[in-house]
Amino acid sequence: MKQKAFGNMGAQVSVIGQGTWYIDHGDRAAAVAALRKGLDLGMTHIDTAEMYGDAELVVADAMDGRRDEVFLVSKVLPSNASRRGTVQACERSLKRLKTDRLDCYLLHWRGQYPLEETAEAFEELVSTGKIRSWGVSNFDASDLAEMVDAAGEGRIACNQVLYHLNERAIEHSVIPWCEAHGVAVVAYSPFGHDDFPGAQSAGGKVLQQIAARHGATPRQVALAFLTRWPSVFAVPKASASGHAAENAGAGDVTLTENDIGALDEAFPLGREPRSLPMI
């Protein structure tokens, strides 16, 4: 599994990681096995959140005896993101995850509390060793600039945002801003939300052709396309070990300029929206 620098924080993190949204809705043992299979294959970046129901509990089981292998990320809900509430939310997540630290802690999306207040809480958590770094999620370029004004340059480790073949809005402003400021970009829902291009669709056929040339699958090609940017990582979810293995295989796919051009044509960027898409 390829790794690259996670923003300015210095950690080398797997390009393809593991998402956990809805991972608690199915067979728990299978979900734990899938996460552990992902770790075996080098997908050591595990992303979760307090909003994800029992996902943190599933992650705790998967990490049992393997915590030091994992780059662990969780998120605080905006409704909890006051100075005191952020610290308390982090402590609850640590308890559920059965660990003493997070590698990165994110504000899930922007809410009612001033960014300065949440940033101060994050810095307190860093100083006490409960988190190694912090970041944000679902932030547009203007929001990111405001967070820099609140917390200072070089403090935001990452911005986790919606990014898949049919939703490339972050390429307009968010990715360029993040690359200019040394902020990692983490793509969530990288296969879309139950709308990955079908094999018989025009885009699906392009994916199939490129996949055949690389001895890969269409989903592996999609992940390779998204992570072609130096700053971008992806955290697809897998609830079965076979799916985890398929996701991990994307780390070995290197697309050519012709491949990227064909995908760019098949899944056009489109105009920049007024607001950043999120789910």
Side-chain angles (χ1 to χ4, degrees):
M1 171 61 63
K2 291 183 290 188
Q3 295 186 333
K4 54 189 177 185
F6 197 77
N8 283 327
M9 69 172 293
Q12 292 290 312
V13 175
S14 60
V15 173
I16 310 300
Q18 304 190 78
T20 61
W21 193 17
Y22 292 121
I23 203 166
D24 60 320
H25 287 201
D27 185 311
R28 176 117 170 214
V32 169
L35 288 169
R36 292 182 72 86
K37 180 67 172 180
L39 292 178
D40 293 341
L41 296 171
M43 292 192 297
T44 52
H45 175 188
I46 296 182
D47 176 83
T48 190
E50 66 171 345
M51 190 188 81
Y52 296 171
D54 287 340
E56 288 180 325
L57 302 177
V58 176
V59 171
D61 288 347
M63 291 193 305
D64 186 24
R66 307 182 68 170
R67 173 64 184 92
D68 290 344
E69 298 176 39
V70 179
F71 185 86
L72 181 62
V73 180
S74 194
K75 310 179 194 73
V76 57
L77 281 165
S79 56
N80 292 331
S82 65
R83 173 72 184 262
R84 184 180 179 187
T86 299
V87 173
Q88 292 175 333
C90 181
E91 290 171 345
R92 290 193 298 270
S93 285
L94 292 174
K95 185 176 181 180
R96 287 192 294 268
L97 288 160
K98 299 180 182 178
T99 185
D100 61 351
R101 70 203 184 278
L102 295 172
D103 294 288
C104 199
Y105 194 37
L106 312 183
L107 174 59
H108 211 145
W109 64 87
R110 191 169 181 175
Q112 62 178 322
Y113 292 106
L115 295 178
E116 293 88 345
E117 197 170 327
T118 307
E120 287 172 0
F122 284 152
E123 293 295 346
E124 177 184 337
L125 289 165
V126 171
S127 69
T128 56
K130 292 178 180 177
I131 67 175
R132 291 179 58 202
S133 64
W134 60 266
V136 295
S137 181
N138 297 301
F139 270 43
D140 210 337
S142 59
D143 299 312
L144 290 162
E146 284 189 52
M147 183 58 100
V148 167
D149 288 342
E153 190 71 54
R155 300 309 303 159
I156 306 171
C158 77
N159 183 23
Q160 187 177 126
V161 282
L162 179 65
Y163 187 34
H164 55 82
L165 288 172
N166 287 311
E167 184 47 81
R168 298 173 56 191
I170 65 167
E171 293 184 26
H172 286 287
S173 299
V174 173
I175 291 178
W177 191 98
C178 289
E179 296 206 330
H181 291 265
V183 174
V185 177
V186 179
Y188 72 76
S189 296
F191 300 134
H193 199 59
D194 297 324
D195 60 352
F196 189 75
Q200 298 307 311
S201 68
K205 290 176 182 178
V206 173
L207 283 169
Q208 294 274 5
Q209 292 165 1
I210 295 172
R213 289 199 293 270
H214 290 272
T217 69
R219 288 177 182 259
Q220 289 171 341
V221 170
L223 290 174
F225 179 76
L226 301 181
T227 58
R228 72 196 186 281
W229 298 87
S231 63
V232 177
F233 301 75
V235 285
K237 185 198 75 172
S239 297
S241 295
H243 291 155
E246 181 181 7
N247 291 341
D252 298 322
V253 177
T254 301
L255 301 177
T256 67
E257 289 187 11
N258 287 339
D259 294 332
I260 292 170
L263 290 166
D264 197 46
E265 184 176 349
F267 302 96
L269 175 59
R271 295 182 178 180
E272 185 169 13
R274 291 185 178 181
S275 60
L276 191 70
M278 60 179 284
I279 56 173

